[in-house]
Amino acid sequence: MVARVSTVAFQGIEGVPVDVQVMVAPGKVGMQIVGLPDKAVAESRERVQAALHASGLSLPAKKVTVNLAPADLPKEGSHFDLPIALGLMAALGAIPGDALVGYVVIGELNLDGTIAAVAGALPAAIGANGLGKGLICPADSGAEAAWAGSAIDILAPRSLIALANHFRGTQVLSRPEPAVRASAANMPDLADIKGQESAKRALEVAAAGNHNLLMVGPPGSGKSMLAARLPSILPPLSPTELLEVSMIHSIAGQLPGGKLSDRRPFRTPHHSATMAAMIGGGLRAKPGEASLAHNGVLFLDEFPEFTPQVLDALRQPLETAECIIARANHRVTYPAAIQLVAAMNPCRCGMAGEPGHSCARGPRCVSDYQGRISGPLMDRIDIRIDVPSVTAADLIRPAPAEPSAVVARRVARARDIQTDRFIAFGMPQVLSNARCSTAMIEKMAEPDAGGLQLLRDAAEKMKFSARGYHRVLKVARTLADLDEKATVGRIHLAEAISYRIAGERLTAAA
Ligand SMILES: Nc1ncnc2c1ncn2[C@@H]1O[C@H](COP(=O)(O)OP(=O)(O)OP(=O)(O)O)[C@@H](O)[C@H]1O
Ligand SMILES: [Mg+2]
């Protein structure tokens, strides 16, 4: 007799249905797993046998064959233990055969028969819901799976015995509750930053339109400090965005306690990050930092210190909002709609351009250092600003600074205006100016006569790329939204162009 249990294999952030078929038949004693398993799946055999033994069920002296269908789909991960074990238990009559029909099963087994947490409980639950089934998952993944909806039936047992008792009706499992991570109330606040008014303004504009931002300045001027305060002015995630973000974090096994938070992700990878860490992939395909920052911020501090290959690998996700990883026998895609924020010193000694300072290595100090950032990557950064050292007057007797909550309100207002406009244009899926298509932005950010003249002059003089031209329009649109103006004026374009010019100087130096 063949027992069947449904489970999933993860491809990107989707759970593809997999059928676990278990047959116990006379023949050579042993257990075999077939159907393109990777090493962790092949090792299931040992864990399943030990866990069943510890739960008081020993395997008969027969041949056990486990098939993971479809056979041509690669199976990665350790979450196949539980479906295999349950299939075996059903085949041996330890649990009623029909008990598992309405469930998708994922979970890893410990040798003592307890069930260990696995990554991907949320996408598995959403997949199961789509099939009209419930989910059996480890107790520690239950809170995460419960987010898939209140209608879905979720069993989250601690051990094989607890699950068997549930099916026998002797000890019924209760449904896990979704848990919320407390919004970090003590996030660093913009009010801590003395002076740096223009940098704060640029940060606000970047937050309002979801624009990429580069800060260039001498050591200790507060670049890292400014970036760390960006999350405190960004609007919270919408429910759809929250689900996408949580799916990715679930697949990466990065949802502590299954708790979800509506704060936007803020990822700060170290500059030693490898390609796999940044874009995703590795031995077992996992989302990288760019995907973990989906719908949020990827902050690259000490920008030129990253390896050029890793930086240039970001060019594609910055344009298409997804990371595509080619594997030997398949392709994996992870969403990566990121806002790139980067900080760097102008040169190796860090002081180029400071009044009264001359670099020991002359102009090469600047050109060598900045040359590590490729032109095409720089072209994708909408707002580039100089962050000079804080003046002594600002440090000693600072003017009162605006707290994050006030700035966040203006940002939220500008985002609402954008959302309403995109809905009016019949594109409700676009949420910010930076993510708007070029054809759309030309319609939405049509400048007035004065603005048009300024834009024409600047584009000619600065030799904007086509991308640069559209990005200037997008930033100008955001500036008009912050002003609550329907048309983009000369003043908005002037500011948008000034943000571009700082970078053109950088590219020229490189
Ligand atoms: N504008 C400021 N207001 C108040 N404190 C500041 C300001 N700028 C810098 N500081 C202080 O200086 C410290 C260093 O700032 P930060 O790390 O942000 O500098 P940085 O520009 O990132 O420098 P580096 O280029 O060396 O990374 C901060 O922890 C803070 O104490
Ligand atoms: Mg820093």
Side-chain angles (χ1 to χ4, degrees):
M1 174 207 144
V2 177
R4 287 165 174 260
V5 182
S6 301
T7 183
V8 288
F10 295 110
Q11 282 211 318
I13 58 164
E14 264 165 62
V16 182
V18 169
D19 199 23
V20 178
Q21 303 159 358
V22 182
M23 188 168 77
V24 181
K28 188 165 168 249
V29 177
M31 181 170 166
Q32 214 189 4
I33 300 178
V34 295
L36 226 56
D38 82 343
K39 200 157 185 320
V41 182
E43 285 173 353
S44 254
R45 190 171 57 183
E46 312 302 327
R47 288 192 296 267
V48 167
Q49 284 175 346
L52 287 179
H53 181 74
S55 310
L57 193 80
S58 48
L59 292 183
K62 288 189 176 172
K63 179 178 173 175
V64 177
T65 311
V66 177
N67 180 33
L68 307 174
D72 60 349
L73 181 75
K75 323 284 184 314
E76 292 183 328
S78 54
H79 63 273
F80 293 98
D81 292 5
L82 188 59
I84 293 174
L86 293 186
L88 248 172
M89 287 167 81
L92 298 175
I95 49 175
D98 57 354
L100 300 169
V101 174
Y103 291 101
V104 167
V105 184
I106 57 164
E108 180 183 321
L109 286 174
N110 292 319
L111 298 185
D112 61 358
T114 54
I115 305 172
V118 288
L122 181 59
I126 290 171
N129 201 17
L131 298 172
K133 294 187 176 188
L135 181 78
I136 300 178
C137 68
D140 291 337
S141 307
E144 184 183 321
W147 280 100
S150 53
I152 165 169
D153 181 12
I154 297 173
L155 297 179
R158 293 224 160 267
S159 64
L160 281 178
I161 294 179
L163 188 63
N165 286 344
H166 173 84
F167 285 134
R168 271 191 229 115
T170 52
Q171 184 195 14
V172 178
L173 293 164
S174 57
R175 190 183 193 279
E177 290 298 320
V180 186
R181 201 184 318 157
S183 287
N186 50 358
M187 266 189 296
D189 199 286
L190 267 184
D192 306 339
I193 297 179
K194 298 172 179 161
Q196 303 295 22
E197 293 309 325
S198 51
K200 284 188 207 166
R201 161 78 176 169
L203 201 66
E204 179 178 337
V205 177
N210 197 15
H211 299 291
N212 299 333
L213 170 72
L214 170 66
M215 292 180 278
V216 187
S221 57
K223 302 178 296 297
S224 306
M225 205 177 167
L226 277 158
R229 278 145 187 84
L230 181 55
S232 69
I233 59 170
L234 284 171
L237 292 165
S238 71
T240 348
E241 288 178 312
L242 173 66
L243 199 62
E244 286 171 9
V245 169
S246 308
M247 298 256 272
I248 299 170
H249 286 239
S250 171
I251 290 281
Q254 297 212 5
L255 276 181
K259 293 178 182 167
L260 271 54
S261 157
D262 66 353
R263 296 303 329 171
R264 288 185 187 269
F266 184 78
R267 305 291 304 188
T268 55
H270 187 253
H271 55 71
S272 59
T274 60
M275 188 78 91
M278 188 68 94
I279 302 299
L283 200 56
R284 268 203 239 161
K286 278 260 166 90
E289 290 291 336
S291 294
L292 290 169
H294 178 62
N295 287 336
V297 178
L298 179 68
F299 176 46
L300 303 185
D301 209 352
E302 324 303 347
F303 202 32
E305 303 291 346
F306 284 82
T307 53
Q309 288 86 343
V310 169
L311 286 184
D312 280 317
L314 285 172
R315 282 161 55 179
Q316 188 233 357
L318 281 174
E319 208 70 355
T320 60
E322 58 186 18
C323 291
I324 301 172
I325 303 154
R327 315 278 287 173
N329 45 8
H330 63 295
R331 261 158 64 112
V332 186
T333 309
Y334 294 112
I338 46 173
Q339 178 180 9
L340 177 70
V341 175
M344 64 186 274
N345 300 126
C347 64
R348 163 73 44 207
C349 59
M351 300 302 284
E354 284 298 285
H357 178 86
S358 62
C359 284
R361 293 175 57 230
R364 284 203 53 200
C365 190
V366 178
S367 57
D368 285 0
Y369 197 62
Q370 297 188 352
R372 298 194 204 176
I373 315 290
S374 72
L377 182 60
M378 195 61 101
D379 204 32
R380 287 162 169 76
I381 299 181
D382 317 337
I383 303 181
R384 305 107 178 235
I385 50 162
D386 290 325
V387 183
S389 300
V390 203
T391 58
D394 273 336
L395 277 179
I396 296 162
R397 199 167 290 190
E402 259 183 329
S404 290
V406 177
V407 184
R409 268 200 292 280
R410 288 200 297 268
V411 169
R413 175 86 194 103
R415 288 261 182 146
D416 286 345
I417 294 175
Q418 293 167 49
T419 319
D420 290 348
R421 190 172 50 238
F422 290 121
I423 291 174
F425 272 75
M427 306 269 290
Q429 73 281 17
V430 186
L431 294 173
S432 63
N433 288 335
R435 295 254 158 262
C436 162
S437 72
T438 51
M440 291 281 275
I441 198 67
E442 282 181 359
K443 261 187 244 156
M444 289 177 179
E446 216 171 317
D448 57 16
L452 201 61
Q453 185 58 42
L454 179 68
L455 186 59
R456 192 171 300 136
D457 292 349
E460 250 167 43
K461 247 200 210 107
M462 305 303 304
K463 302 219 170 12
F464 286 157
S465 66
R467 184 192 286 120
Y469 172 81
H470 287 121
R471 287 191 178 239
V472 165
L473 278 184
K474 288 179 183 180
V475 176
R477 183 63 262 176
T478 302
L479 290 164
D481 290 340
L482 274 170
D483 257 2
E484 306 194 18
K485 292 271 163 41
T487 39
V488 173
R490 193 179 162 85
I491 181 167
H492 306 127
L493 273 162
E495 189 174 344
I497 292 167
S498 76
Y499 290 141
R500 188 99 199 155
I501 288 176
E504 300 296 335
R505 257 194 286 125
L506 273 186
T507 322

